[in-house]
Amino acid sequence: MQKYILEKLYQDPKMLELLKENSEWIKYLNRDPRKYEEFVAVMKEKYRLRKTDKINDVIDNIDLISNLFNAIK
């Protein structure tokens, strides 16, 4: 595996966790460094780190707080 990819992997604990759970990614990244972007996309989808996921989480939290205030009234 190329050195810059290893450095990026060790900087993010979630990437290492995904590599432990899905070790086939080690083979893919070893053979083709261009798969790194695909790996990052899979990691963001699995751990809900995409911008749309974050927006949905904020909306859900606002709805929860709104429902709590309505229940208190």
Side-chain angles (χ1 to χ4, degrees):
M1 196 174 305
Q2 293 187 358
K3 186 175 180 176
Y4 75 94
I5 292 179
L6 281 173
E7 289 173 357
K8 288 181 182 180
L9 292 175
Y10 283 115
Q11 289 175 356
D12 191 351
K14 292 204 182 288
M15 287 187 188
L16 290 177
E17 187 176 332
L18 183 62
L19 278 177
K20 289 177 186 176
E21 293 173 1
N22 301 310
S23 59
E24 72 270 3
W25 275 107
I26 295 172
K27 176 179 68 174
Y28 299 146
L29 293 172
N30 238 350
R31 291 182 181 170
D32 187 8
R34 293 173 291 182
K35 293 275 187 178
Y36 176 75
E37 296 301 323
E38 184 179 340
F39 173 74
V40 171
V42 168
M43 188 246 340
K44 286 183 176 184
E45 182 177 342
K46 178 176 170 89
Y47 295 113
R48 299 183 46 81
L49 299 174
R50 297 176 296 180
K51 290 181 183 178
T52 57
D53 293 329
K54 291 179 182 181
I55 291 170
N56 286 336
D57 290 343
V58 168
I59 291 171
D60 290 343
N61 287 338
I62 291 171
D63 286 342
L64 176 67
I65 292 170
S66 173
N67 289 336
L68 286 173
F69 283 141
N70 289 335
I72 291 174
K73 286 182 182 179

